[in-house]
Amino acid sequence: MAKIMAVNAGSSSIKFQLLDMPEEKVITSGVMERIGLAEGIFTLKYNGKKEETHPVLPTHKEGVELLLKTLIEKGIVKSLDEITGVGHRVVQGGEYFKDSCLVDDTVIAKIQELADLAPLHNPAHIIGIKAFQAALPNVPQVVVFDTVFHQTMPEEAYMYATPYEWYTKYGIRKYGAHGTSHKYVSQRAAELIGKPLEETKTIVCHLGNGASISAVDGGKCKDTSMGLTPLEGIPMGTRSGNLDPTVVSYICEKENKTAAEVVNILNKKSGYLGMSGRSNDARDVTAGMNAGDHRCKLTFDVQAKRIVDYIAAYYVYMGGCDVIAFTAGMGENLKHLRKNIIDRLGVLGVKLDEKLNDTFSDERIISTPDSKIQVWIIPTNEEVMIARDTVRIANIK
Ligand code: ADP
């Protein structure tokens, strides 16, 4: 039996999950936040308990050291030798990485080089990788890229109609994001409807604070809504999604801002937050809508409309669809948004079972038996995909 640590390191945080493989059982999970600040937050879940402490975590290195020490102190592992592999989520792998891979100096250098496309994420991942390398020098470290799953997109789907040299010189194209989630959900969707993956067409709606849709045909991504960066696609918590790029130069002129400042607003102050004027959190916007606030209602309607635009396009692009799957915070929990979306798909013969949509439970079908496309809620599980890839790539028995 192998214990694999799945890691998602951010600039000031480390999320982790320790899994028993191949059983895929979670032994412990948690997060270290506010690394580098005066007081950190360390949340640890194990044995049905959740504990929060407030250690000082000057850097990721101290965070990882404390995490490993705590695993032993709490009896979660008897010895660190039990951890046979560490898998790291990496947001951007560009065109260079077509699969997960073992970490070495060249891989780290490449992840650093690709930081231009993911300035907040890739450098933070490297800090996380180095911290685990230092703490567990004899344990294989594997990197699992969010972009890999989207590398199967055909050229016609990933190319922008911009000067071709922008692609050859600077790599300007669609890379997509949330690939590990889209892969997990599409594989699980095929299992749930009892069809071989190779014959299953799935539209995955990953609707969290960041949100993306993908068309998965026979287990391979054919198209996805996020682009060069996660700004493209549907409106999200704080991101605008698609718009006419002229908006950028227009606002630059009107408000005397640089392009980078306006793009920052499109990333951080738009979407749910910008439209509703209340919050990026769908729960607050729902409360506003229920209290009769027009802008809150409009926020959901705009997003639902745009999501349906993608679903319709992907339905046609794949030549049909067997399953529409909802995942992530909003996809799993926001029943009124799911209804708003599915009710617009009547022309495709999709029918929502409102009772099932309203019932709270985890993985479940929410379409009626006569619906032409099955609709499922499938909670995503990126950690399990990271652990699976770590076992596969590091050849852990
Ligand atoms: P990310 O991982 O991209 O930060 P999540 O997948 O956690 O995002 O999703 C966050 C979104 O999900 C927020 O808008 C939040 O309001 C919504 N959400 C989470 N839980 C619930 C819930 N129980 N009911 C309604 N919305 C929820």
Side-chain angles (χ1 to χ4, degrees):
M1 208 152 62
K3 288 187 174 57
I4 305 293
M5 183 70 84
V7 179
N8 182 357
S11 55
S12 66
S13 69
I14 305 171
K15 284 193 199 133
F16 58 88
Q17 210 175 78
L18 186 67
L19 296 106
D20 251 335
M21 297 299 281
E23 291 77 6
E24 305 190 341
K25 196 175 137 249
V26 178
I27 306 165
T28 183
S29 67
V31 58
M32 294 181 140
E33 293 166 282
R34 298 171 62 84
I35 295 172
L37 298 181
E39 190 183 81
I41 308 174
F42 178 16
T43 318
L44 185 72
K45 285 192 209 166
Y46 69 106
N47 285 347
K49 287 182 272 190
K50 184 173 169 183
E51 290 175 1
E52 187 180 300
T53 51
H54 298 264
V56 180
L57 305 168
T59 70
H60 288 63
K61 185 166 175 288
E62 286 80 8
V64 172
E65 282 164 3
L66 176 65
L67 165 60
L68 297 175
K69 194 168 128 228
T70 308
L71 293 182
I72 298 211
E73 275 173 14
K74 304 272 179 199
I76 297 167
V77 296
K78 287 199 186 67
S79 135
L80 293 181
D81 295 343
E82 289 176 35
I83 303 174
T84 45
V86 181
H88 299 265
R89 175 195 182 211
V90 176
V91 161
Q92 183 54 262
E95 285 189 331
Y96 188 77
F97 294 101
K98 306 281 185 199
D99 195 359
S100 304
C101 67
L102 278 166
V103 174
D104 61 22
D105 289 348
T106 321
V107 167
I108 291 187
K110 205 71 207 173
I111 296 170
Q112 181 61 50
E113 194 186 313
L114 290 162
D116 270 0
L117 294 171
L120 297 179
H121 290 101
N122 274 22
H125 299 321
I126 294 174
I127 295 170
I129 293 166
K130 289 193 169 160
F132 273 93
Q133 278 181 323
L136 299 170
N138 301 318
V139 175
Q141 314 273 327
V142 171
V143 274
V144 179
F145 297 91
D146 270 5
T147 42
V148 159
F149 184 59
H150 302 305
Q151 279 293 303
T152 52
M153 278 192 281
E155 204 178 12
E156 64 179 21
Y158 70 68
M159 284 301 291
Y160 292 123
T162 47
Y164 197 79
E165 298 71 37
W166 291 5
Y167 170 63
T168 48
K169 268 195 195 156
Y170 310 118
I172 301 291
R173 50 158 283 178
K174 275 171 73 162
Y175 293 101
H178 298 137
T180 310
S181 172
H182 287 286
K183 184 175 177 185
Y184 172 83
V185 172
S186 52
Q187 288 184 355
R188 186 77 190 124
E191 278 170 25
L192 289 167
I193 66 163
K195 224 176 153 177
L197 181 63
E198 302 70 40
E199 293 166 24
T200 306
K201 296 177 196 293
T202 307
I203 296 174
V204 180
C205 303
H206 177 114
L207 308 178
N209 219 350
S212 64
I213 320 257
S214 67
V216 186
D217 193 348
K220 294 201 159 52
C221 178
K222 264 194 105 170
D223 203 355
T224 194
S225 60
M226 281 179 169
L228 177 75
T229 75
L231 183 55
E232 188 176 342
I234 57 173
M236 314 174 204
T238 60
R239 297 190 190 113
S240 63
N242 294 345
L243 45 69
D244 181 342
T246 314
V247 171
V248 176
S249 54
Y250 195 85
I251 296 296
C252 283
E253 222 165 87
K254 291 283 174 198
E255 301 211 342
N256 197 22
K257 286 184 163 46
T258 64
E261 283 168 341
V262 177
V263 170
N264 195 41
I265 295 171
L266 296 178
N267 267 308
K268 302 216 172 116
K269 299 246 158 66
S270 302
Y272 275 49
L273 178 61
M275 285 201 64
S276 72
R278 283 190 183 225
S279 167
N280 65 305
D281 193 300
R283 284 165 286 208
D284 300 331
V285 185
T286 300
M289 177 180 75
N290 292 340
D293 183 322
H294 168 71
R295 277 172 57 181
C296 291
K297 166 93 173 74
L298 182 66
T299 301
F300 289 118
D301 287 344
V302 169
Q303 199 198 31
K305 193 256 174 216
R306 302 266 205 102
I307 290 171
V308 168
D309 290 346
Y310 273 100
I311 293 176
Y314 290 169
Y315 176 89
V316 173
Y317 194 40
M318 290 197 290
C321 174
D322 301 294
V323 199
I324 296 170
F326 288 100
T327 196
M330 290 164 56
E332 290 166 33
N333 296 299
L334 220 57
K335 52 191 181 191
H336 70 81
L337 179 64
R338 289 194 302 262
K339 180 169 160 48
N340 196 340
I341 295 164
I342 299 300
D343 283 354
R344 294 167 190 258
L345 293 169
V347 69
L348 299 181
V350 190
K351 288 190 202 153
L352 186 71
D353 182 322
E354 300 213 7
K355 233 175 163 176
L356 287 174
N357 186 45
D358 284 356
T359 318
F360 183 81
S361 70
D362 289 339
E363 201 172 67
R364 65 188 189 278
I365 189 167
I366 55 168
S367 51
T368 59
D370 63 337
S371 175
K372 291 229 173 76
I373 302 173
Q374 292 190 25
V375 185
W376 282 80
I377 296 173
I378 303 179
T380 195
N381 195 339
E382 288 159 289
E383 291 78 12
V384 97
M385 297 305 273
I386 293 172
R388 282 181 197 168
D389 268 13
T390 305
V391 168
R392 175 173 63 87
I393 297 284
N395 201 15
I396 294 167
K397 301 287 178 227

